[in-house]
Amino acid sequence: MTAAAVRSLGLRAVDRRPLAIAPYRRLWTASVVCAAGGSFSVVAVPAQLFTVTGSSAAVGLAAGVSFVALVVAALWGGALADVMDRRRLLLAADCGLALTYAGLWIQAALGATSIPVLLVLVACQGLTYGAIMTTMGAVVPRLVPAELLPAANSLGSLVRYAGAICGPVLAGALIPLVGLGPLYLFDAVALTAVVWAVAALPPLPPPPDGARRRNRSVAGQVWAGFGHLAAGRLLVAVLAVDLAAMVFGMPVALFPELARHTYGGPAGGGVELGLLYAAYPAGVCAAGLLSGTFTHARRQGALMAAAAAVWGLTVVVLGLAPHLWAALAALVLGGAANCVLSAFRNAITQAHTDDAMRGRIQGALTVVLIGGPQLANLVHGAAAAAYGPRTVVCAGGLLTTATVAAIAWAAPRLRHYTTGHPAGAGP
């Protein structure tokens, strides 16, 4: 291989430029530790609930409790992130999550079977995780310059989705060997790496006007964040594109039916179902490993819209795929497109939002990002019962692409947005 080819490959591989910034590098390294050995509770909590109750309804109830807690924490945490030191808020949230994992470990080690106790701990997990998601979205732009935000967000996606693949697999393998208790303990211990990284951050005080708003009610600050979001035509367009991709083009609720009736999987799940679930995050990881191919681009708005349109087309291919391998290929390609979409969505909202509003805007966006897939499950499930899963998947993909095209045509600010657009410089 020639030297030029090696240089070209290096430019296309993972864009590591944000890792040259020491505080971000520590945070990212700690997130790798948590992804590798700190995501076991995603499997352990549902497994324990089902073991104790023998009912999937209890698992669904816990998911509902977690969802409500996440929404409350995202809005509340976003308002707090604009009026107090973000390092202190993030440190408190991470410590709270570590203590929650420790509580889950203690109750499992004691052989507790109390559903109310488990649900309280699930609520604590949702509250702390929602605050972490929102505050991190406001912290990263304070550590990383605007031109490196796509690279920083793609690095974050790479770790998050790698954890989504490895964590459940490792947890499934370890539960028969060590039981549930040690998995919670592993999560708590792994999270100490994040606590260390956050503690090592420099102070991140609120913007100058944040101190003046400290006496306003949290509800008033949250409402102001939604008002700012609604008034910003660029932010509305970004949000609309993302919602179209999530609601119309996220047919995860139909995977069990597709695996069973289209691809011949066994009743109750099997390899086919597991592969369908794993293909999308695998595509995200693949794109993250090649993030240098897109993170240097300046036309971020156009690329975000294009990635969402490509995602819609891959969903159409998924709906038409007669064989499992074709469906998996479509999902892998779609995951790669969504990696590009999410990297530029986060970069645009972070760079375009004034620092005084970042916490509340991130809180509002977190609510949308959490609620979108839930709404997608509801819509796809109801429509598939009437029209069949493959028809609904194809229609959702076409709706995604058509809606994104309409938004891009109606929102020239999105089409022409470049990385040099000043933050907060108008709607």
Side-chain angles (χ1 to χ4, degrees), residues 63-86:
V65 169
S66 179
F67 172 71
V68 172
L70 275 165
V71 169
V72 170
L75 296 176
W76 193 287
L80 291 178
D82 286 339
V83 297
M84 67 177 291
D85 187 303
R86 290 171 184 168

Short mmCIF file of all heavy atoms in Angstrom, two decimals, residues 63-86:
data_model
loop_
_atom_site.label_atom_id
_atom_site.label_comp_id
_atom_site.label_asym_id
_atom_site.label_seq_id
_atom_site.Cartn_x
_atom_site.Cartn_y
_atom_site.Cartn_z
N ALA A 63 -40.74 -0.07 32.11
CA ALA A 63 -40.35 0.77 30.98
C ALA A 63 -41.12 2.08 30.99
O ALA A 63 -40.56 3.15 30.70
CB ALA A 63 -40.60 0.02 29.66
N GLY A 64 -42.40 2.02 31.34
CA GLY A 64 -43.19 3.24 31.44
C GLY A 64 -42.71 4.15 32.54
O GLY A 64 -42.63 5.38 32.36
N VAL A 65 -42.39 3.58 33.70
CA VAL A 65 -41.86 4.37 34.81
C VAL A 65 -40.55 5.04 34.41
O VAL A 65 -40.33 6.24 34.68
CB VAL A 65 -41.66 3.48 36.05
CG1 VAL A 65 -40.85 4.21 37.14
CG2 VAL A 65 -43.00 3.02 36.62
N SER A 66 -39.67 4.29 33.76
CA SER A 66 -38.39 4.84 33.32
C SER A 66 -38.59 5.97 32.32
O SER A 66 -37.90 7.00 32.37
CB SER A 66 -37.54 3.72 32.72
OG SER A 66 -36.29 4.23 32.28
N PHE A 67 -39.54 5.80 31.40
CA PHE A 67 -39.79 6.81 30.38
C PHE A 67 -40.26 8.12 31.02
O PHE A 67 -39.76 9.21 30.68
CB PHE A 67 -40.84 6.30 29.40
CG PHE A 67 -41.32 7.33 28.41
CD1 PHE A 67 -40.49 7.76 27.39
CD2 PHE A 67 -42.59 7.86 28.50
CE1 PHE A 67 -40.92 8.71 26.48
CE2 PHE A 67 -43.04 8.82 27.61
CZ PHE A 67 -42.20 9.24 26.58
N VAL A 68 -41.20 8.03 31.92
CA VAL A 68 -41.70 9.25 32.59
C VAL A 68 -40.58 9.92 33.37
O VAL A 68 -40.42 11.15 33.33
CB VAL A 68 -42.89 8.90 33.52
CG1 VAL A 68 -43.29 10.10 34.36
CG2 VAL A 68 -44.08 8.41 32.69
N ALA A 69 -39.78 9.14 34.08
CA ALA A 69 -38.68 9.70 34.86
C ALA A 69 -37.65 10.38 33.96
O ALA A 69 -37.13 11.46 34.28
CB ALA A 69 -38.02 8.61 35.70
N LEU A 70 -37.36 9.76 32.81
CA LEU A 70 -36.41 10.35 31.87
C LEU A 70 -36.91 11.69 31.35
O LEU A 70 -36.15 12.66 31.25
CB LEU A 70 -36.18 9.39 30.70
CG LEU A 70 -35.14 8.30 30.89
CD1 LEU A 70 -35.28 7.23 29.81
CD2 LEU A 70 -33.74 8.90 30.82
N VAL A 71 -38.18 11.76 31.02
CA VAL A 71 -38.75 13.01 30.50
C VAL A 71 -38.67 14.12 31.55
O VAL A 71 -38.24 15.24 31.27
CB VAL A 71 -40.20 12.79 30.04
CG1 VAL A 71 -40.89 14.12 29.75
CG2 VAL A 71 -40.24 11.91 28.80
N VAL A 72 -39.08 13.81 32.77
CA VAL A 72 -39.04 14.80 33.85
C VAL A 72 -37.61 15.27 34.08
O VAL A 72 -37.34 16.48 34.19
CB VAL A 72 -39.64 14.21 35.14
CG1 VAL A 72 -39.39 15.15 36.32
CG2 VAL A 72 -41.14 13.96 34.96
N ALA A 73 -36.68 14.32 34.14
CA ALA A 73 -35.28 14.68 34.42
C ALA A 73 -34.67 15.48 33.27
O ALA A 73 -33.87 16.39 33.50
CB ALA A 73 -34.46 13.42 34.66
N ALA A 74 -35.04 15.16 32.02
CA ALA A 74 -34.49 15.89 30.88
C ALA A 74 -34.91 17.35 30.93
O ALA A 74 -34.08 18.26 30.71
CB ALA A 74 -34.95 15.24 29.58
N LEU A 75 -36.17 17.61 31.22
CA LEU A 75 -36.66 18.99 31.27
C LEU A 75 -36.10 19.72 32.49
O LEU A 75 -35.61 20.86 32.39
CB LEU A 75 -38.18 19.00 31.30
CG LEU A 75 -38.87 18.43 30.05
CD1 LEU A 75 -40.37 18.40 30.23
CD2 LEU A 75 -38.50 19.25 28.81
N TRP A 76 -36.17 19.09 33.64
CA TRP A 76 -35.67 19.70 34.87
C TRP A 76 -34.15 19.91 34.80
O TRP A 76 -33.64 20.99 35.13
CB TRP A 76 -36.03 18.82 36.05
CG TRP A 76 -35.85 19.46 37.40
CD1 TRP A 76 -34.68 19.73 38.05
CD2 TRP A 76 -36.89 19.94 38.26
NE1 TRP A 76 -34.91 20.32 39.26
CE2 TRP A 76 -36.26 20.48 39.41
CE3 TRP A 76 -38.27 19.97 38.17
CZ2 TRP A 76 -36.97 21.02 40.47
CZ3 TRP A 76 -38.98 20.52 39.24
CH2 TRP A 76 -38.34 21.03 40.36
N GLY A 77 -33.44 18.87 34.36
CA GLY A 77 -31.99 18.97 34.27
C GLY A 77 -31.55 20.01 33.26
O GLY A 77 -30.54 20.70 33.47
N GLY A 78 -32.28 20.13 32.15
CA GLY A 78 -31.93 21.15 31.17
C GLY A 78 -32.06 22.55 31.73
O GLY A 78 -31.21 23.42 31.48
N ALA A 79 -33.12 22.79 32.52
CA ALA A 79 -33.29 24.10 33.14
C ALA A 79 -32.18 24.37 34.15
O ALA A 79 -31.62 25.47 34.21
CB ALA A 79 -34.66 24.19 33.81
N LEU A 80 -31.83 23.37 34.95
CA LEU A 80 -30.75 23.55 35.94
C LEU A 80 -29.41 23.78 35.27
O LEU A 80 -28.57 24.54 35.78
CB LEU A 80 -30.68 22.32 36.86
CG LEU A 80 -31.84 22.12 37.83
CD1 LEU A 80 -31.64 20.84 38.63
CD2 LEU A 80 -31.97 23.31 38.77
N ALA A 81 -29.18 23.13 34.12
CA ALA A 81 -27.89 23.25 33.44
C ALA A 81 -27.64 24.67 32.95
O ALA A 81 -26.48 25.02 32.66
CB ALA A 81 -27.82 22.28 32.26
N ASP A 82 -28.68 25.48 32.83
CA ASP A 82 -28.52 26.86 32.38
C ASP A 82 -28.36 27.85 33.51
O ASP A 82 -28.14 29.04 33.26
CB ASP A 82 -29.72 27.27 31.51
CG ASP A 82 -29.68 26.62 30.13
OD1 ASP A 82 -28.59 26.20 29.71
OD2 ASP A 82 -30.74 26.53 29.49
N VAL A 83 -28.48 27.39 34.76
CA VAL A 83 -28.39 28.33 35.89
C VAL A 83 -27.37 27.90 36.94
O VAL A 83 -27.20 28.60 37.95
CB VAL A 83 -29.77 28.52 36.57
CG1 VAL A 83 -30.76 29.12 35.60
CG2 VAL A 83 -30.29 27.20 37.14
N MET A 84 -26.70 26.77 36.76
CA MET A 84 -25.70 26.33 37.73
C MET A 84 -24.49 25.72 37.02
O MET A 84 -24.52 25.51 35.80
CB MET A 84 -26.31 25.32 38.71
CG MET A 84 -26.70 24.00 38.10
SD MET A 84 -27.34 22.80 39.33
CE MET A 84 -25.84 22.43 40.27
N ASP A 85 -23.45 25.48 37.75
CA ASP A 85 -22.24 24.89 37.19
C ASP A 85 -22.57 23.52 36.61
O ASP A 85 -23.02 22.62 37.34
CB ASP A 85 -21.18 24.79 38.29
CG ASP A 85 -19.82 24.35 37.75
OD1 ASP A 85 -19.76 23.28 37.12
OD2 ASP A 85 -18.85 25.08 37.95
N ARG A 86 -22.34 23.35 35.31
CA ARG A 86 -22.72 22.09 34.64
C ARG A 86 -21.84 20.93 35.10
O ARG A 86 -22.28 19.78 35.09
CB ARG A 86 -22.63 22.28 33.13
CG ARG A 86 -23.73 23.19 32.60
CD ARG A 86 -23.55 23.58 31.15
NE ARG A 86 -24.59 24.53 30.76
CZ ARG A 86 -24.58 25.23 29.64
NH1 ARG A 86 -23.58 25.09 28.78
NH2 ARG A 86 -25.56 26.07 29.36
#
